Amino acid sequence: MKPLVEAQREVLAAVGRLGTETVDISDAFGRVTAEPCVSRVKVPPFANSAMDGFAVRAADVARTPVALGVIEDVPAGSVPTLAVPPGSATRIMTGAPMPEGADAVVKVEDTRVDSDGAVTILEGVTAGVNVRKAGGDVGIGDTLVDAGVRMTSRHVATLASVGIMPLVSKIPVVAVLSTGDEVVEPSTSDLGPGKIRDTNRLILKSVLRELGVEVLDLGIIGDDPAELSEVYQRAAASADVIVSTGGVSMGDYDFVKQVLGDMGSVDFWSVAMQPAKPFAFGSIQGVPLFGLPGNPVSTFVAYEQFVRPALLHMMGATRLFRPRIQAVIGEDVETTPEKDVFLRVMLAPDRSGTFVALQSGGQASNVLSALAQADGFAFVPVGVGSLSAGDSVTLEMFTWNEDRMLDD
Ligand code: AMP
Ligand code: MG
């Protein structure tokens, strides 16, 4: 058996990076930066008020109350035309540029507007109070997003603030297919004898959508060498990556193995992991191919451990693997010490707030219902073999969904 980390290293070494393109910032969400994004401007671009109120000279309001003459009104979006001389103030709105001469803003709540074009300042301020300095958020030359980062809403917003249209990696087209004579469309209402609904293609299409890549759905292909060969050729002609499920283990009808063996340079691996031990990896006409095992949980685990990091690598991402965190296992668990084991677990805080992981159901590789309930994997590495309730355990979280109601 091949150790998991070795298998992952081989996969990453075999997949190349895609090219790059410049995109409009409105299309940059989820894309991976291909170079550091360095600001050439300041944010804010000009000193401006943090409050609705009056721009003043702090020295004028050292003692309060004090009346100042209001010389101008500056809403956000317009610019002051007058410098504030001693004894005066400019009425200013949040975000409006500070007038020359003024060095602080008194918020409107701390003033009383007099009828004769004057304002009485009730609370003093020192210089700089309620003023947002030019460049206080971003300075010229600041790196806002490093190269190799898959951008979130916050990354794209900060780039938007400086007007950067980022250079990003291209998005791979991923061909997806399910194999097996027993597999039928999920919408089938009456399953014929011996048939099952296709779950793998839907898992894959969903996780790929989540990752923001383009999916080419090639459907369900029966256990027929000619048909399989034709569809793999088609996939190689139009996709950057091929992901198929089923047919890579030891069965008599595992034609995928035969067809792939004949077609390209595809290796069949036995990886020291559970689930997802049998796994095919290689290329067809230079296009990387992942042949994932057919059991749905195995498909998901193999996607998480091989396909997802490989796609992120192709997209130029620096960090490829999900965060691992420590929690406590809430029950005794036996695993096989020869393999890296990925248990499907639910995570919830106990009364003291410590996160405790419990198996989310049956751990066989066909038990999709337990995967559906899970928040992540408990990763039990080679050599461990058993955990006792209360032991520390490493988790790899694949969802971290909302878990509180308003009053919790
Ligand atoms: P295989 O890897 O083709 O030997 O399949 C292993 C197990 O996974 C068998 O029980 C298959 O019926 C099942 N299986 C294969 N493909 C799918 C699929 N697309 N959706 C659900 N189950 C599948
Ligand atoms: Mg099969």
Side-chain angles (χ1 to χ4, degrees):
M1 282 191 297
K2 204 189 270 287
L4 172 59
V5 174
E6 224 168 79
Q8 288 170 318
R9 206 184 310 284
E10 279 185 51
V11 167
L12 294 177
V15 296
R17 296 240 159 122
L18 299 169
T20 60
E21 60 188 343
T22 297
V23 291
D24 190 276
I25 191 62
S26 9
D27 299 321
F29 171 73
R31 303 295 296 269
V32 178
T33 48
E35 62 182 13
C37 300
V38 179
S39 181
R40 276 182 281 180
V41 297
K42 290 180 188 174
V43 180
F46 46 84
N48 67 89
S49 177
M51 289 284 172
D52 295 329
F54 292 86
V56 299
R57 291 168 169 265
D60 283 348
V61 298
R63 263 187 253 158
T64 52
V66 58
L68 302 173
V70 179
I71 57 168
E72 195 176 18
D73 197 349
V74 187
S78 57
V79 287
T81 59
L82 303 171
V84 177
S88 301
T90 288
R91 193 173 153 77
I92 194 165
M93 296 298 128
T94 305
M98 286 294 287
E100 289 291 315
D103 58 6
V105 171
V106 180
K107 60 179 188 281
V108 73
E109 297 89 324
D110 294 338
T111 66
R112 191 182 62 227
V113 177
D114 303 328
S115 51
D116 54 354
V119 61
T120 298
I121 305 297
L122 304 173
E123 294 285 340
V125 284
T126 51
V129 169
N130 296 330
V131 176
R132 302 191 284 215
K133 288 201 184 100
D137 177 359
V138 179
I140 293 170
D142 285 0
T143 299
L144 295 180
V145 185
D146 289 326
V149 173
R150 189 155 68 98
M151 287 191 280
T152 64
S153 56
R154 287 101 59 205
H155 292 120
V156 297
T158 191
L159 295 189
S161 77
V162 301
I164 285 181
M165 304 293 128
L167 185 70
V168 297
S169 296
K170 290 195 168 147
I171 294 174
V173 176
V174 183
V176 174
L177 59 128
S178 292
T179 71
D181 278 343
E182 76 280 31
V183 181
V184 299
E185 286 293 343
S187 56
T188 308
S189 52
D190 290 318
L191 287 180
K195 306 291 180 188
I196 57 164
R197 295 191 176 86
D198 181 8
T199 54
N200 296 350
R201 213 159 30 104
L202 196 60
I203 294 183
L204 290 172
K205 284 164 69 175
S206 307
V207 290
L208 291 169
R209 190 203 289 183
E210 217 167 47
L211 195 60
V213 303
E214 202 178 311
V215 175
L216 177 64
D217 183 355
L218 296 177
I220 301 166
I221 315 300
D223 290 313
D224 172 75
E227 208 187 333
L228 282 166
S229 171
E230 188 273 321
V231 81
Y232 280 117
Q233 298 282 1
R234 192 142 49 85
S238 38
D240 299 303
V241 175
I242 305 165
V243 184
S244 72
T245 74
V248 295
S249 48
M250 304 309 266
D252 287 347
Y253 294 90
D254 287 347
F255 289 117
V256 173
K257 211 165 168 176
Q258 180 197 318
V259 166
L260 291 177
D262 293 347
M263 269 179 98
S265 47
V266 177
D267 284 334
F268 297 90
W269 293 356
S270 182
V271 182
M273 70 191 292
Q274 189 178 309
K277 184 174 77 142
F279 170 61
F281 179 69
S283 66
I284 300 176
Q285 291 152 28
V287 177
L289 168 113
F290 295 83
L292 310 186
N295 277 306
V297 180
S298 305
T299 290
F300 183 76
V301 171
Y303 169 81
E304 281 284 315
Q305 297 305 319
F306 296 112
V307 184
R308 190 172 183 275
L311 291 172
L312 285 167
H313 176 72
M314 291 177 83
M315 297 196 297
T318 308
R319 293 176 191 273
L320 309 178
F321 295 92
R322 293 199 190 269
R324 283 184 175 170
I325 61 167
Q326 291 300 122
V328 165
I329 190 92
E331 59 197 339
D332 296 349
V333 179
E334 293 291 324
T335 65
T336 159
E338 288 85 40
K339 296 178 187 169
D340 283 330
V341 177
F342 294 87
L343 300 170
R344 281 71 72 199
V345 297
M346 294 186 295
L347 190 63
D350 66 10
R351 267 198 220 100
S352 71
T354 303
F355 276 102
V356 176
L358 289 173
Q359 294 173 95
S360 56
Q363 296 292 318
S365 60
N366 62 318
V367 183
L368 190 50
S369 56
L371 178 63
Q373 297 301 320
D375 299 309
F377 297 128
F379 173 65
V380 189
V382 168
V384 173
S386 71
L387 295 171
S388 305
D391 282 355
S392 173
V393 67
T394 301
L395 301 187
E396 250 182 61
M397 303 299 292
F398 44 72
T399 55
W400 203 300
N401 274 2
E402 299 73 22
D403 73 341
R404 285 184 305 116
M405 313 283 272
L406 184 59
D407 297 319
D408 285 350

